[in-house]
């Protein structure tokens, strides 16, 4: 059977694409401060669903109002700003390998959330082995694995980004902590195949409306939470 966890490469997998994208979004924001940029998967209310999921599961494992959170491939930082507005008050960091994304998100922070010092943004390639941001209670990914899976980059031993991704997550996830990931390129079953390890297991998933076409049922997007338990 075809391995559907391997996607074809695309310009969405290049840093150049994202630098150009966020340069333009930053310019738009400077002209109109109401324009904070594109909210990825907005048609599916993915951001609202991720935030709602965390609110509904407050008190479970390390999900608390003051959980430390990291948003991988943060883009315009919108997800962290929404979490802030919904009352989350732990340390929140958004990282992105595009300096333009980080400049843009930091500018929104300064312009609209200047009273807040819980949120920070930093440039980082999450696949850089030297990158060691510490451990977090909640790791967030909205569309980032989707984008990086399109990069076609190979590491030592011919490993793909999809092979390395769970190792990156395990490095930055504390015990009893959660990865909440949203994807439109991978199904829930594919995400489980990519991400699950001995200590990282699917915990819960978010419900999206189900479409039916030609007798086949499915969703165009999925958000799945993985729990890191202690090593056996
Ligand atoms: C589809 S966009 C999603 C942006 C944001 N999460 C959102 O929901 O709007 C993918 C993001 O991943 C970032 N990205 C891609 N590869 C990365 C890497 N290796 N390290 C850090 N960020 C990366 C891109 O710069 C881009 O901002």
């Amino acid at each position: 059977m075809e391995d559907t966890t391997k996607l074809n490469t695309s310009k969405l997998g290049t840093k150049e694409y994202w630098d150009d994208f966020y340069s333009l979004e930053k310019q738009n924001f400077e002209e109109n401060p109401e324009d904070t940029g594109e909210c990825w998967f907005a048609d599916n209310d993915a951001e609202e669903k991720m935030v709602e999921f965390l609110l509904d599961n407050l008190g479970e494992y390390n999900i608390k109002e003051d959980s430390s959170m990291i948003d991988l491939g943060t883009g315009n930082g919108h997800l962290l700003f929404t979490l802030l507005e919904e009352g989350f008050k732990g340390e929140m960091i958004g990282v992105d390998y595009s300096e333009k994304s980080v400049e843009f998100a930091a500018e929104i922070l300064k312009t609209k959330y200047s009273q807040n010092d819980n949120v920070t943004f930093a440039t980082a390639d999450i696949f850089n082995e030297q990158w060691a941001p510490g451990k977090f209670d909640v790791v967030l990914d909205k569309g980032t694995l989707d984008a990086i899976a399109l990069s076609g980059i190979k590491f030592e031993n011919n490993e793909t980004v999809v092979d390395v991704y769970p190792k990156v997550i395990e490095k930055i996830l504390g015990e009893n902590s959660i990865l909440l990931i949203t994807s439109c390129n991978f199904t829930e079953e594919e995400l489980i195949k990519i991400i699950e390890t001995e200590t990282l297991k699917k915990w819960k998933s978010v419900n999206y409306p189900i479409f039916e076409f030609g007798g086949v049922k499915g969703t165009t997007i999925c958000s799945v939470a993985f729990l890191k338990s202690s090593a056996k």
Side-chain angles (χ1 to χ4, degrees), residues 11-22 40:
K11 61 181 183 175
L12 265 68
T14 66
K15 181 173 173 297
E16 194 186 4
Y17 173 85
W18 294 110
D19 281 341
D20 290 348
F21 183 85
Y22 292 115
W40 221 249

Side-chain angles (χ1 to χ4, degrees), residues 18 22 38-40 71-76 95-98 101 124-127 142-144 147-148:
W18 294 110
Y22 292 115
E38 183 169 333
C39 202
W40 221 249
D71 183 23
L72 306 178
T74 195
N76 54 20
V95 294
D96 204 291
Y97 74 167
S98 164
S101 138
D125 179 343
I126 64 166
F127 291 108
K142 180 156 73 71
T144 299
I148 56 192

Side-chain angles (χ1 to χ4, degrees), residues 44 60 62 101 109 112 114 126 132 138 146 151 163 169 195:
N44 302 91
E60 299 264 9
N62 286 352
S101 138
L109 177 68
K112 292 190 171 281
S114 57
I126 64 166
V138 177
D146 284 356
S151 70
D163 297 327
I169 300 302
I195 294 168

Side-chain angles (χ1 to χ4, degrees), residues 1-2 21-22 29 32-33 35-36 46-47 51 77 83 86 100 133 135 144 159-160 164 174 190 200 225 231:
M1 206 163 71
E2 191 197 358
F21 183 85
Y22 292 115
F29 176 67
N32 171 16
D35 183 357
T36 52
E47 186 170 284
V51 174
L83 286 164
E86 289 298 326
K100 297 294 170 195
K135 303 258 188 210
T144 299
E159 284 185 313
T160 64
V164 178
E190 287 168 337
L200 199 54

